[in-house]
Amino acid sequence: MPKWPDDDVILFDGVCIFCSRWVRFVAKRDTAKRFRFTPIQSDYGARLARTFGIDAGDPDTNAVVHGGEVFMKSDAALTVLSLLPGWSWVSVLFAVPRPLRDPIYSLIARNRYRIFGKYNTCFVPDADLRARVIE
């Protein structure tokens, strides 16, 4: 698997309402401001997606680069959550085998627009969060 030079970057679907809420959820709890965010619709996000084999036109996962490695699907969500203050307990969920976790993740990902909706244009964060967005 290729490496990525930037660390603690979360790749997300910027037109997905659920994904944008995920970004706001993480940003609010990330008091150390460790994570940065990039929409897959940005140049930087599209390059990151291509590097790791994610279809930027039809993304089926968010991803996080941590420790120079990329984590996708349920591994991405659990990695991010387990690194947030007060959420380290989430790491016990890594004990659930990925073949059981990822199908649930994929089911939600495939239906995210239908369930949660979709923005017409890419999510625009407030000024504080915008400073943590890489485009």
Side-chain angles (χ1 to χ4, degrees):
M1 183 69 78
K3 296 283 186 187
W4 192 255
D6 297 320
D7 208 23
D8 292 328
V9 176
I10 296 173
L11 175 70
F12 72 102
D13 181 352
V15 297
C16 167
I17 292 174
F18 179 74
C19 306
S20 298
R21 286 182 183 157
W22 163 249
V23 166
R24 286 191 292 261
F25 175 90
V26 171
K28 182 178 180 178
R29 287 153 183 83
D30 181 18
T31 54
K33 298 185 185 301
R34 130 186 256 153
F35 290 106
R36 291 174 297 152
F37 310 93
T38 185
I40 201 165
Q41 291 80 5
S42 70
D43 290 340
Y44 180 92
R47 277 195 328 270
L48 194 154
R50 274 192 307 276
T51 299
F52 295 107
I54 299 169
D55 180 356
D58 187 24
D60 65 349
T61 182
N62 76 41
V64 64
V65 177
H66 176 68
E69 294 182 54
V70 69
F71 298 90
M72 293 189 255
K73 298 195 179 211
S74 64
D75 282 346
L78 294 178
T79 296
V80 170
L81 286 172
S82 68
L83 292 168
L84 294 175
W87 287 80
S88 60
W89 62 269
V90 169
S91 61
V92 302
L93 296 176
F94 281 111
V96 176
R98 190 179 302 132
L100 296 176
R101 289 186 275 121
D102 278 354
I104 295 166
Y105 181 98
S106 294
L107 178 67
I108 294 168
R110 272 193 313 275
N111 294 290
R112 68 190 182 280
Y113 297 145
R114 190 172 324 127
I115 297 168
F116 302 102
K118 182 178 178 180
Y119 295 121
N120 290 327
T121 59
C122 203
F123 158 69
V124 178
D126 62 26
D128 185 48
L129 183 54
R130 193 172 305 128
R132 297 170 63 189
V133 173
I134 306 169
E135 298 197 73

